[in-house]
Amino acid sequence: MPRAQRPARRPARPAREGAASQRGRDSRPAKAPATDGPVLELDVERIAHGGVAVARHEGRVVFVADAIPGERVRARVADASKDRFWRADTVEVLEASADRRAHAWPEASVDRAPERRAGGAEFGHIRMSRQRALKAEVLTDALSRFAGLERDVVVEAVDPAHAPGVDADAGTGWRTRVRLHVDRDGRVGPYASRSHTVVPVETLPLATPELQAIARLSDRFAGAESIDLVAPAGGAPELVIDAPRRSPLIHEEVLGRTFRLDRGGFWQVHRGAAATLALAVQDAIDADRFDPRAANLDLYGGVGLLAGAVIDRFGETVRITSVEADERATDHAAANLSGTIGAHAETGRVDRWLERLDAGADRLLRDRLARATIVLDPPRAGAGREVVERLAALKPAQLVYVACDPVALARDLGTFRNFGYDLETLRAFDLFPNTHHVEAVARLTARV
């Protein structure tokens, strides 16, 4: 994920300026999980999409938070409103996995009551290598179930060279954007998982050291609704109370290229994520299929990160159009790509923009589209059938798909297969350590 993203995710893609109106966000119920549900002893079987594990009780599926496959736990039922499954929170570990560790965020530990656990670090109790293995299992399972693809996947850690100050072994110190909430007494903290309950905290271990230093977690912010912490690569860290809708400009630096964007606009959260994805997209493009004079596209393009990556690999003669629904992001993309004569940025919902493109395309344009490389970085919900069908109808030479949700990616890959495009390469990256989120980059080409 699911990725390109705003001052806070969610992750996640694990969470991109770019398509604020098109990118899905995880919704949270207004009520906290039940605190008086029955307590069950459960044998945890496997991991599920969404950061929870799967167990069974009298034939019913129970999704269990804060557990690891292979463990035996006592878990309190937090939601029994569905007939097919229940949700539960681990309250005691009876037989622990060898991969269980002290939680990376003490305020999210299983030692706390579930309603007092900070949300946003649902894998923090798991050793890092096992976290990545579990994310790979989820992606592998999604590919099999929704795309009919049997494929081994390895989730790669972020190269430390792109993430100074990040503790890769602990999975901490990586978040350059954090949103905290304020309760009615002015106390600040994250929400509890699946809740709008604010959990006051004393630490923010996933945040960069610069943000930890300015967080003011013990202060009271009476009358405020939220606190944003932002640490751009090209400026000083900031604490912002109730961030305005129209925010000042900041600058991010990625692989020698500078991007301007709104402070409240979408950007990759992990300190090394933008560089990781830019390099992965560059690597995913098959140079033999790339034509710099074709009608190359960067869809859901945000402020131009991936279009810039394409230009940086193939040179300033590249023709590429970035399409983004958010007008402010499009303006920034135009400025960020202005050094390349053949680069353009257009505002539009991708589905409607493609519809207009198809309707107005003459023979010459269709030939240029058939030689094109199309990069797409859709919201968490994925591109969807309509967009996939329109893209396949353009018959591009190759597509590079950046995904922040494994199930949405797999569904779209399955649809692409139905329209004649097959998966050639796939890489996955752990851009949201200590959460369940995972990002993937895939290349698709037309079936011969």
Side-chain angles (χ1 to χ4, degrees):
M1 157 90 154
R3 90 252 190 107
Q5 334 209 345
R6 306 176 178 264
R9 277 192 85 82
R10 87 23 317 227
R13 122 91 89 2
R16 307 170 199 163
E17 178 169 323
S21 63
Q22 294 190 57
R23 295 186 183 279
R25 296 290 181 248
D26 295 336
S27 59
R28 298 172 182 268
K31 295 182 179 179
T35 59
D36 57 353
V39 175
L40 313 174
E41 284 196 11
L42 300 170
D43 292 313
V44 183
E45 300 173 4
R46 58 183 176 84
I47 200 67
H49 179 45
V52 293
V54 178
R56 294 181 185 275
H57 176 70
E58 297 179 352
R60 177 182 279 107
V61 170
V62 182
F63 292 115
V64 190
D66 300 308
I68 305 174
E71 291 187 327
R72 185 170 181 79
V73 302
R74 296 177 71 242
R76 184 182 301 280
V77 175
D79 183 355
S81 62
K82 302 290 192 299
D83 291 333
R84 294 189 304 110
F85 64 86
W86 290 348
R87 292 188 178 275
D89 298 297
T90 299
V91 293
E92 183 182 0
V93 180
L94 302 176
E95 297 177 16
S97 165
D99 293 311
R100 181 172 283 274
R101 64 174 186 178
H103 205 290
W105 193 357
E107 287 93 335
S109 172
V110 73
D111 298 331
R112 283 188 158 207
E115 67 274 12
R116 294 183 57 246
R117 294 175 196 166
E122 61 277 5
F123 273 9
H125 59 291
I126 308 173
R127 193 163 51 90
M128 289 304 302
S129 60
R130 185 70 185 282
Q131 288 188 32
R132 290 192 286 273
L134 292 174
K135 295 177 187 188
E137 285 182 27
V138 170
L139 180 51
T140 299
D141 179 66
L143 292 172
S144 176
R145 291 174 56 203
F146 297 102
L149 297 170
E150 302 300 327
R151 195 179 190 97
D152 291 332
V153 178
V154 175
V155 175
E156 304 173 37
V158 173
D159 186 337
H162 302 309
V166 174
D167 187 333
D169 292 332
T172 55
W174 55 268
R175 286 197 71 108
T176 61
R177 279 126 172 98
V178 175
R179 169 160 288 180
L180 302 174
H181 304 276
V182 182
D183 69 12
R184 65 183 59 187
D185 296 320
R187 296 176 300 179
V188 64
Y191 284 141
S193 181
R194 306 191 310 278
S195 167
H196 279 162
T197 300
V198 174
V199 178
V201 295
E202 297 180 0
T203 64
L204 293 173
L206 272 58
T208 63
E210 307 96 286
L211 293 187
Q212 294 182 44
I214 67 168
R216 294 170 54 188
L217 298 175
S218 60
D219 287 4
R220 296 292 179 104
F221 295 88
E225 293 185 1
S226 64
I227 305 296
D228 286 324
L229 304 170
V230 184
E238 295 184 74
L239 181 150
V240 184
I241 301 171
D242 287 342
R245 185 170 183 178
R246 182 73 173 263
S247 57
L249 296 184
I250 60 172
H251 293 84
E252 295 284 354
E253 297 170 2
V254 184
L255 302 174
R257 181 182 282 269
T258 299
F259 296 87
R260 84 176 200 194
L261 65 152
D262 288 354
R263 183 182 61 196
F266 180 84
W267 187 255
Q268 289 291 336
V269 175
H270 190 294
R271 173 161 273 169
T276 298
L277 291 177
L279 290 170
V281 166
Q282 289 177 345
D283 291 343
I285 296 173
D286 182 350
D288 292 336
R289 293 187 177 103
F290 186 82
D291 181 352
R293 308 294 291 175
N296 302 298
L297 299 177
D298 172 29
L299 304 180
Y300 313 93
V303 298
L305 172 67
L306 300 183
V310 175
I311 294 166
D312 289 343
R313 180 178 178 193
F314 294 101
E316 296 297 324
T317 63
V318 167
R319 292 180 177 177
I320 189 166
T321 300
S322 178
V323 181
E324 168 57 51
D326 183 88
E327 186 174 357
R328 285 287 294 169
T330 307
D331 290 343
H332 294 319
N336 294 333
L337 303 173
S338 61
T340 301
I341 295 176
H344 303 279
E346 298 190 13
T347 302
R349 277 184 44 152
V350 167
D351 54 350
R352 296 173 184 173
W353 190 90
L354 289 173
E355 182 180 10
R356 293 194 300 272
L357 177 70
D358 183 54
D362 58 17
R363 183 174 179 179
L364 178 61
L365 178 55
R366 290 193 182 279
D367 176 67
R368 292 181 58 223
L369 287 166
R371 294 183 281 116
T373 293
I374 298 178
V375 178
L376 62 156
D377 183 11
R380 189 170 305 285
R385 183 179 181 87
E386 180 182 352
V387 168
V388 169
E389 183 174 358
R390 290 193 179 280
L391 290 175
L394 298 177
K395 302 180 181 179
Q398 60 187 324
L399 299 111
V400 176
Y401 188 132
V402 180
C404 60
D405 184 275
V407 170
L409 170 65
R411 285 176 175 151
D412 284 346
L413 291 181
T415 306
F416 271 117
R417 288 188 74 194
N418 292 337
F419 287 102
Y421 275 80
D422 291 330
L423 176 65
E424 268 198 350
T425 66
L426 178 67
R427 295 175 69 187
F429 301 94
D430 192 16
L431 302 188
F432 308 95
N434 290 313
T435 81
H436 73 278
H437 296 284
V438 62
E439 202 94 4
V441 178
R443 181 174 76 225
L444 299 94
T445 55
R447 191 175 306 132
V448 178

